[in-house]
Amino acid sequence: MRLMKKYADENNVPIMDTYGLKFLLNYIKRNNVKSILEIGSAIGYSAINMALVDPEIVVTTIEKDEVRYLEALKNIKRFNLEKRINLILGNALDIELEEKYDFIFIDAAKGQYTKFFEKFSPNVKKNGTIISDNIYFHGLVEQKERIEKKNLRQLVDKIKEYIIFLKDNEDFDTEFFKVGDGLAVSKRKDEVNENIDNAK
Ligand code: SAH
Ligand code: MG
């Protein structure tokens, strides 16, 4: 783990921080999550950590950058997790997955979170969860004063749009947590709807 952190640090790879990761791993443990889809593997740090929570956990993770993909492949082998972590090289928006997962972790290009959510929400099992990382984006999302750089401003606007999208989403209930760089926990509402249907 220390080697991966060092590599990430030296190569500016934005892996999860300790607090965000702890929250994520606790969530997986407490909710008995067994199948995970991750968008944005980087060097495999979060995927490996998630897989290590329980020997029954299986992770599919997508990374579009080839250098990071190769580094992730190396790390997954080092931890002997090739059988439980399925690493895919490519742009997640171009990849079709049939399988349904207990849990999806979105941690890729922040400008495209709504697209990731819309594309992959059908792959969440009933009562499953989507967690999105970097929802506070280093505090910038809540910052009132003008952000100087145009690109950055646009990105912050995109994240704000995503937060509104989550709040308005009728199929998922979302809670926001100020842990790490900000996490949104969105739960599918199927069970509640089913009970209402059954009661009719
Ligand atoms: N989850 C990792 C960190 C991911 S950093 C960890 O905590 O260890 C975000 C990664 O998402 C980057 O490596 C970036 O290349 C990748 N990414 C961005 N947009 C993507 C896309 N559309 N499809 C797949 N990967 C993407
Ligand atoms: Mg992140």
Side-chain angles (χ1 to χ4, degrees):
M1 265 341 137
R2 223 184 299 137
L3 274 178
M4 268 190 279
K5 274 191 178 169
K6 187 163 176 268
Y7 178 96
D9 209 38
E10 285 167 357
N11 295 280
N12 286 317
V13 182
I15 61 169
M16 283 211 104
D17 67 272
T18 316
Y19 301 104
L21 184 66
K22 230 179 217 166
F23 181 97
L24 195 70
L25 301 183
N26 271 329
Y27 191 92
I28 290 169
K29 209 180 287 175
R30 274 206 321 269
N31 293 280
N32 208 23
V33 166
K34 291 289 160 8
S35 57
I36 302 173
L37 170 65
E38 176 183 62
I39 317 296
S41 340
I43 60 169
Y45 178 74
S46 51
I48 290 169
N49 273 285
M50 292 191 286
L52 291 175
V53 168
D54 186 286
E56 280 179 32
I57 292 176
V58 176
V59 183
T60 294
T61 180
I62 309 173
E63 173 55 51
K64 70 170 184 187
D65 180 276
E66 196 172 357
V67 175
R68 289 182 180 174
Y69 163 85
L70 291 170
E71 193 63 28
L73 210 55
K74 243 185 356 199
N75 289 326
I76 292 165
K77 283 197 181 129
R78 265 203 302 129
F79 281 84
N80 286 315
L81 287 168
E82 304 101 300
K83 292 217 175 86
R84 293 202 288 121
I85 301 181
N86 168 26
L87 177 64
I88 300 172
L89 173 64
N91 183 338
L93 293 173
D94 299 332
I95 289 168
E96 304 302 328
L97 298 170
E98 297 291 316
E99 204 181 321
K100 290 200 195 293
Y101 304 86
D102 295 328
F103 177 82
I104 299 184
F105 179 47
I106 303 180
D107 190 18
K110 284 147 210 57
Q112 295 181 308
Y113 271 22
T114 306
K115 282 192 190 148
F116 295 135
F117 194 104
E118 282 178 329
K119 180 174 169 84
F120 292 107
S121 52
N123 295 84
V124 184
K125 279 187 195 162
K126 276 189 178 176
N127 304 306
T129 307
I130 300 181
I131 290 192
S132 320
D133 187 32
N134 308 99
I135 228 69
Y136 288 112
F137 197 37
H138 319 305
L140 290 174
V141 170
E142 289 201 317
Q143 208 163 285
K144 290 283 179 291
E145 65 258 40
R146 214 172 130 256
I147 298 159
E148 293 299 332
K149 283 197 193 118
K150 192 165 171 247
N151 289 346
L152 199 58
R153 217 163 51 219
Q154 282 171 346
L155 201 52
V156 169
D157 283 342
K158 281 269 187 184
I159 300 177
K160 282 185 180 160
E161 273 170 38
Y162 182 59
I163 292 173
I164 293 168
F165 163 82
L166 291 179
K167 285 182 177 164
D168 289 347
N169 194 307
E170 306 218 321
D171 301 324
F172 286 82
D173 263 334
T174 300
E175 279 185 276
F176 298 89
F177 294 89
K178 269 190 186 168
V179 55
D181 198 20
L183 293 168
V185 178
S186 312
K187 290 190 188 154
R188 263 186 88 141
K189 296 200 284 193
D190 305 85
E191 190 162 82
V192 179
N193 293 339
E194 258 178 22
N195 290 341
I196 291 168
D197 287 346
N198 292 341
K200 269 179 201 163

